[in-house]
Amino acid sequence: TRCCAGLSELTTRIFMRAILQLAAWHAIAPPMRFLAAILFLISSAALAQTGLKYRVEIVAPKDMAEVLSKGLNLERWQNDPQMTPEQLRRLADEGVREARELAATEGYFSARVDLAIEEGEQPWIVRLTLEPGERTQVGEVDLRFSGPAVQDPQSAAIFKRVRDTWPLRRGQPFRQAEWDAAKRRALREMSAFRYAAARIANSEARIDREARRA
């Protein structure tokens, strides 16, 4: 019992079955041992496939449903042959937090998430419902430059181009991917001019949840 204390229930069953099989091994005649070994492997593999089966249902607007289906661990572990009810419930608790975080990357910082598990005949149903609410939009953009380039008169043109071509503009939806892409683009513009060592010294997105502004 002490040997099996740290194992999962499924692993313990396989382990104890192996002990019983080995205990009877010497009672089997040598010509039959090869066949017995094959039968043991087949039965052990079948036992390992008896994990809990479940299916995820996502109730959300189409764009967010696609984001959730790609980003939730609940989706990734659906076909785990050793899934247990305890593991599934832990994944479900994590799924609520993951759903809120994924919604925030899409600009929904006040999303409401509900999750329910329908137990009974397999597959169990894990239903996650997300109401995103109103999307946050860009309110203000402030781009500043520092370092030797500020003292270079010829840099004024590149500063203007970086500001004019900044893609995440006022009134547009705030998304994490577009925020990151805008910074990379500005950095490429500076590096391609004459400042190969240009870097983002500081960046910050301030979110006003009540006003839905970034």
Side-chain angles (χ1 to χ4, degrees):
T1 303
R2 287 195 297 272
C3 292
C4 298
L7 303 177
S8 69
E9 179 182 353
L10 178 62
T11 306
T12 301
R13 285 159 51 201
I14 295 174
F15 182 64
M16 295 303 297
R17 183 183 178 123
I19 292 175
L20 295 174
Q21 291 279 355
L22 290 172
W25 185 258
H26 291 289
I28 303 175
M32 299 298 294
R33 288 182 181 177
F34 180 71
L35 177 60
I38 294 176
L39 293 175
F40 171 69
L41 291 174
I42 292 174
S43 62
S44 296
L47 181 59
Q49 297 297 320
T50 58
L52 173 67
K53 292 179 172 54
Y54 71 92
R55 177 165 52 88
V56 179
E57 292 184 359
I58 296 175
V59 181
K62 183 178 179 180
D63 59 336
M64 279 307 305
E66 293 176 356
V67 171
L68 294 173
S69 66
K70 295 177 181 178
L72 290 175
N73 281 324
L74 275 168
E75 290 278 6
R76 296 192 186 101
W77 291 96
Q78 269 189 103
N79 298 316
D80 181 7
Q82 297 188 13
M83 181 60 60
T84 66
E86 294 76 16
Q87 291 171 333
L88 177 57
R89 292 187 183 99
R90 284 197 295 270
L91 283 174
D93 291 339
E94 293 173 2
V96 174
R97 173 183 54 79
E98 291 171 347
R100 291 196 181 102
E101 291 175 353
L102 289 167
T105 65
E106 295 297 308
Y108 300 108
F109 290 92
S110 300
R112 177 179 176 181
V113 181
D114 293 310
L115 188 144
I117 301 178
E118 294 183 7
E119 304 178 7
E121 295 185 2
Q122 296 190 40
W124 287 10
I125 306 298
V126 180
R127 183 173 294 105
L128 186 146
T129 303
L130 182 140
E131 298 177 7
E134 186 179 345
R135 198 175 212 161
T136 296
Q137 295 184 341
V138 177
E140 299 290 340
V141 178
D142 183 14
L143 301 179
R144 301 181 186 184
F145 303 90
S146 62
V150 176
Q151 309 302 323
D152 182 357
Q154 296 186 30
S155 296
I158 188 64
F159 293 164
K160 184 177 185 302
R161 183 159 75 240
V162 169
R163 288 191 172 97
D164 290 346
T165 60
W166 176 263
L168 197 58
R169 311 196 73 80
R170 179 185 296 182
Q172 292 183 343
F174 178 85
R175 297 178 63 249
Q176 184 67 43
E178 292 177 3
W179 164 233
D180 293 337
K183 290 185 288 185
R184 289 195 299 269
R185 178 172 177 170
L187 193 57
R188 284 197 304 268
E189 291 278 1
M190 290 298 301
S191 299
F193 177 53
R194 62 169 67 176
Y195 296 101
R199 64 184 179 87
I200 302 293
N202 182 57
S203 66
E204 181 181 24
R206 298 181 181 177
I207 307 300
D208 185 335
R209 295 175 181 267
E210 294 183 1
R212 306 291 194 272
R213 285 165 57 87

